[in-house]
Amino acid sequence: MKNKKSVSQIISKYGVLMVFILMFIVFSFTAPNFTNIRNLLNVSRQINTLGICSVGMTLLLIAGSIDLSQGYQLSLINVFCAFLMVQQGIPMVAAILLSLVLGAVIGFINGVIIVKSGVHPMIVTLGVSQALNGISYLFSNGIPIYGFPEGFSLLGQGTIGVIPISLIIMVIIMIIGHFILSGLPYGRYLYAVGSNEEAAKLAGVNTGTVKMIAHTLSGFLTAIAAVLLLSRTNSGLSSNGAGFEFNVITACVLGGVSNLGGRGTMYQAVLGVLIMGFLENGMTLMNINEYWQLVVKGILLLIAVVYDASISRSAERVKKLKAINSENE
């Protein structure tokens, strides 16, 4: 029994890491140039948008919330920043700062509506996503915006030595995210609200404020990701973020962050991001059809959600058994 338990504990703790290592080994032999330094650096640039957005989504999922508007937040801020610089002639730094403020405001609005209305976050953010999609097309008229100031591309394409600047920014944000969860009282509040919101209220936690801050932070981080994406692609396009939120959710849940709230770490989110990034890159190098790639991502999300639900049910059963045993004693 002890051996079985220890094996299950090892799989539970390191299973995702094992999957990543196995996937990396398989692609090393099957995908051309997969382990080439240039390709690895290219992946590190490509995953920064996913990685930064995943930090915000992790905070939301742990708090028992979610944001389905994240993809169209990405689109709107991408177009908004381009619109300010190219069509309004606003200086680069001012345009970036205004874009970050817009992201925080969108996140705050999401949080306020969710908390004050009591409507499920999925419904609220799904509605907001459609509004954001429409607004982004009003800014761009469906036409790519390009012609940015000199130096803007450094954020998304520049390097320090051989290390991409965007990768450095992503790592710093992930470290800050880890510190929020493990080193600040607010991190404990997030876990408390996601685990049992009513119990958190009784303990004196302002659950509404906790959720609004989480949504505001998520919006702000999405704005950073949008600016980096714009800098990397050099084109403001309204379709840039369409459906991207599902990649983010898949990365988080695949890494082990619970979609039911109250469980997860930034380390798990990072693992999920790496799996998604290298999986997509490996399939592309193998010339796998992009529609089959969507099928694979959808199946991965389904497996991760079902697995997460089974873990939560097992944890509930263990709690009930412990409660029964303590009563009998």
Side-chain angles (χ1 to χ4, degrees), residues 319-329:
K319 284 182 182 179
K320 288 179 181 178
L321 286 172
K322 285 183 178 179
I324 292 169
N325 290 335
S326 61
E327 287 177 3
N328 291 335
E329 290 175 359

Side-chain angles (χ1 to χ4, degrees), residues 89-127:
I90 293 177
M92 180 181 71
V93 174
I96 292 173
L97 291 175
L98 287 171
S99 299
L100 299 185
V101 170
L102 176 61
V105 169
I106 292 171
F108 177 73
I109 291 171
N110 273 337
V112 169
I113 295 173
I114 289 165
V115 171
K116 299 300 182 182
S117 69
V119 177
H120 196 281
M122 277 191 177
I123 305 300
V124 172
T125 55
L126 188 61

Side-chain angles (χ1 to χ4, degrees), residues 9-311:
Q9 286 175 340
I10 291 172
I11 293 174
S12 177
K13 190 172 183 179
Y14 300 108
V16 179
L17 179 60
M18 292 175 186
V19 168
F20 172 67
I21 294 172
L22 178 62
M23 181 196 72
F24 197 92
I25 292 171
V26 170
F27 278 137
S28 297
F29 289 102
T30 58
N33 300 315
F34 181 74
T35 55
N36 185 285
I37 294 297
R38 183 175 294 180
N39 180 61
L40 296 178
L41 289 173
N42 184 47
V43 174
S44 72
R45 284 192 182 92
Q46 292 173 345
I47 65 172
N48 69 76
T49 303
L50 177 64
I52 294 170
C53 287
S54 295
V55 173
M57 188 66 76
T58 297
L59 299 179
L60 292 177
L61 291 174
I62 289 174
S65 192
I66 198 168
D67 189 353
L68 296 184
S69 70
Q70 198 176 56
Y72 286 122
Q73 287 179 42
L74 201 68
S75 295
L76 174 58
I77 295 163
N78 186 277
V79 168
F80 178 71
C81 188
F83 174 82
L84 291 180
M85 286 189 291
V86 176
Q87 298 186 13
Q88 299 301 309
I90 293 177
M92 180 181 71
V93 174
I96 292 173
L97 291 175
L98 287 171
S99 299
L100 299 185
V101 170
L102 176 61
V105 169
I106 292 171
F108 177 73
I109 291 171
N110 273 337
V112 169
I113 295 173
I114 289 165
V115 171
K116 299 300 182 182
S117 69
V119 177
H120 196 281
M122 277 191 177
I123 305 300
V124 172
T125 55
L126 188 61
V128 170
S129 72
Q130 297 307 303
L132 297 180
N133 187 29
I135 295 170
S136 70
Y137 276 100
L138 289 174
F139 273 110
S140 69
N141 291 317
I143 301 171
I145 303 174
Y146 52 88
F148 306 122
E150 187 178 347
F152 179 67
S153 61
L154 280 175
L155 286 172
Q157 301 177 29
T159 61
I160 296 177
V162 296
I163 308 298
I165 293 173
S166 57
L167 176 63
I168 295 172
I169 294 172
M170 183 189 75
V171 171
I172 291 171
I173 289 173
M174 286 178 164
I175 291 171
I176 293 171
H178 171 71
F179 177 69
I180 289 172
L181 289 177
S182 61
L184 294 180
Y186 177 71
R188 295 195 293 273
Y189 297 156
L190 284 171
Y191 285 107
V193 172
S195 298
N196 191 324
E197 187 169 351
E198 289 304 315
K201 282 181 181 177
L202 292 174
V205 177
N206 190 329
T207 58
T209 299
V210 168
K211 287 186 175 182
M212 284 190 283
I213 292 174
H215 276 278
T216 303
L217 287 173
S218 178
F220 179 74
L221 292 174
T222 301
I224 295 175
V227 171
L228 290 176
L229 177 63
L230 180 63
S231 175
R232 180 166 62 86
T233 60
N234 265 326
S235 177
L237 191 60
S238 293
S239 60
N240 270 345
F244 191 74
E245 66 277 3
F246 291 105
N247 285 346
V248 179
I249 294 168
T250 302
C252 292
V253 178
L254 186 63
V257 180
S258 177
N259 69 304
L260 301 175
R263 192 175 72 248
T265 64
M266 204 54 63
Y267 157 77
Q268 292 173 320
V270 170
L271 266 183
V273 168
L274 291 175
I275 290 174
M276 288 293 291
F278 282 104
L279 176 67
E280 187 171 330
N281 177 256
M283 290 191 294
T284 301
L285 291 176
M286 292 175 68
N287 291 319
I288 294 176
N289 187 290
E290 63 177 309
Y291 302 121
W292 277 112
Q293 292 187 33
L294 290 173
V295 171
V296 171
K297 289 177 186 177
I299 291 172
L300 281 176
L301 177 58
L302 183 61
I303 291 172
V305 168
V306 171
Y307 179 68
D308 179 51
S310 67
I311 288 178

